[in-house]
Amino acid sequence: MTSPAPFPVSVRRGVPLAEHTTLGIGGPAELFLEPQRPEDLAERLDALDRDGVPFRLLGGGANLLAPDGGVPGAVLATGRMRRVFREGERGLRAWAGATLPQLVRTARELGLSGLEPLVGVPGQLGGALAMNAGSAQWGIWDVVVEAVVWRPVPGGGGEVVALDRATVAPRYRDGNLRGAVVLEALLELTPSDRARVRAAEEALLKRKNATQPVSASSAGCAFRNPPGDSAGRLIDAAGLKGLRVGGAAVSERHANFVVDLGGATAADVRTLLARVEETVAERFGVRLERELVVWPEPERPVAAAG
Ligand SMILES: Cc1cc2nc3c(=O)[nH]c(=O)nc-3n(C[C@H](O)[C@H](O)[C@H](O)COP(=O)(O)OP(=O)(O)OC[C@H]3O[C@@H](n4cnc5c(N)ncnc54)[C@H](O)[C@@H]3O)c2cc1C
């Protein structure tokens, strides 16, 4: 048994979510909770669920549009749960808040191959499992042996269970978690050597830097690629590159990225997304599906910290 940390969960009120999302957009979280360890997160989830307090999970905020009016109830942020452990010859066990750059670097330093497609991708392990983050042909679940999750049980509170990939059945850019919260996960990688892993990462990074608006505020791809096509190609072909609503715009560099040119609001981004969807549907008869997670506006704005 480990002794409990002195402050297992930091609790603050009215924390602006704009400071915790890569788009830099979002009003205050009524309660902003940052657990230190997976067990602290599970305990809080039990308590919130029993008390009927609504909650949402926040990783690196790299695929998220947070509402202008803020989030009532609790936002549980995993950013302080960052530990990564080696497990056996090929395994890395990591807590939900381990960052993707941290995991990519750790794997490389240990001479383990398998996480190269995540080079240059921001965010944390829990968010990556929720999104099945990766490339067109690969998602992080391809290397997950088990995810330890909290999930609600009838009557209130929850249970902690280990789920394997087959049980979860993740899909392209969708971890299919169905309300489960990732506490930690075990990844299985392939022994290789550092130089080879680094070379693969560098080739990928070069391609990303050439095609993506890496220095702009964005939240990655806004839409999933439709089967056999690319959302970016369709948006570009519809003439929408550079389309602007308020401070938000379709990137000139990569049409599937929405960027904040300065002062964008969540309302700007939602209007822009809707215009893109309508235009692509009219021009090509394709209904784009959102990859970007959009949290709804609250009925009443949440108060900022006083
Ligand atoms: C410049 C840039 C490049 C990007 N490139 C790529 C790319 O190549 N491939 C790709 O797939 N994505 C890419 N993305 C998107 C993003 O990096 C990934 O989706 C990433 O995995 C999101 O992780 P996060 O921790 O930031 O999740 P968040 O944005 O914080 O959350 C995303 C979703 O996951 C949920 N969630 C968060 N933590 C947990 C948890 N512990 N348990 C359950 N649910 C949870 C949230 O509630 C939310 O629904 C890019 C983003 C940017 C800004």
Side-chain angles (χ1 to χ4, degrees):
M1 280 288 286
T2 49
S3 58
F7 301 106
V9 184
S10 142
V11 181
R12 288 183 284 157
R13 283 182 176 272
V15 171
L17 291 172
E19 290 172 9
H20 294 273
T21 58
T22 55
L23 265 170
I25 293 175
E30 188 175 4
L31 280 174
F32 190 79
L33 308 181
E34 295 173 283
Q36 301 269 4
R37 305 172 305 176
E39 51 268 47
D40 305 327
L41 174 54
E43 259 174 39
R44 275 306 157 128
L45 286 161
D46 272 343
L48 292 166
D49 192 83
R50 286 216 184 87
D51 294 347
V53 179
F55 60 82
R56 291 181 182 278
L57 266 292
L58 175 70
N63 211 193
L64 189 65
L65 181 65
D68 296 320
V71 174
V75 169
L76 290 147
T78 49
R80 295 192 182 188
M81 297 169 31
R82 296 176 62 139
R83 294 189 66 176
V84 180
F85 312 83
R86 184 158 201 186
E87 194 163 303
E89 180 73 356
R90 311 156 71 98
L92 279 188
R93 184 174 289 275
W95 291 357
T99 69
L100 300 181
Q102 179 190 1
L103 287 166
V104 167
R105 190 179 59 245
T106 306
R108 184 198 323 119
E109 280 166 4
L110 295 171
L112 293 170
S113 167
L115 292 180
E116 294 91 325
L118 291 175
V119 71
V121 179
Q124 300 172 7
L125 179 66
L129 262 57
M131 303 306 302
N132 198 11
S135 59
Q137 313 75 22
W138 180 94
I140 189 170
W141 273 97
D142 290 4
V143 295
V144 173
V145 177
E146 65 168 30
V148 178
V149 304
W150 176 95
R151 62 183 181 192
V153 293
E159 60 180 359
V160 173
V161 285
L163 301 177
D164 63 17
R165 182 167 56 234
T167 311
V168 176
R171 302 179 282 244
Y172 160 67
R173 279 314 81 80
D174 174 10
N176 196 26
L177 289 177
R178 290 161 287 180
V181 173
V182 176
L183 305 176
E184 63 178 62
L186 175 63
L187 313 179
E188 188 179 53
L189 305 172
T190 311
S192 174
D193 65 76
R194 280 188 215 181
R196 200 177 293 180
V197 173
R198 175 175 285 282
E201 286 173 10
E202 276 170 4
L204 271 168
L205 261 186
K206 212 165 152 191
R207 204 174 329 144
K208 284 193 179 186
N209 289 339
T211 55
Q212 296 182 2
V214 283
S215 55
S217 297
S218 83
C221 286
F223 299 100
R224 295 190 172 93
N225 287 325
D229 208 335
S230 119
R233 190 197 71 77
L234 289 164
I235 299 166
D236 190 6
L240 296 172
K241 265 190 175 170
L243 176 71
R244 189 167 175 168
V245 175
V250 173
S251 164
E252 295 276 2
R253 195 119 203 244
H254 189 310
N256 199 13
F257 278 62
V258 167
V259 291
D260 177 4
L261 298 177
T265 61
D268 293 340
V269 176
R270 287 194 304 267
T271 307
L272 187 67
L273 293 173
R275 289 217 186 130
V276 169
E277 286 160 356
E278 276 161 29
T279 313
V280 168
E282 273 167 25
R283 290 286 304 276
F284 306 112
V286 175
R287 263 194 60 207
L288 288 176
E289 233 181 74
R290 287 184 192 177
E291 179 178 324
L292 181 68
V293 176
V294 180
W295 286 354
E297 288 294 335
E299 278 170 24
R300 261 166 282 115
V302 172

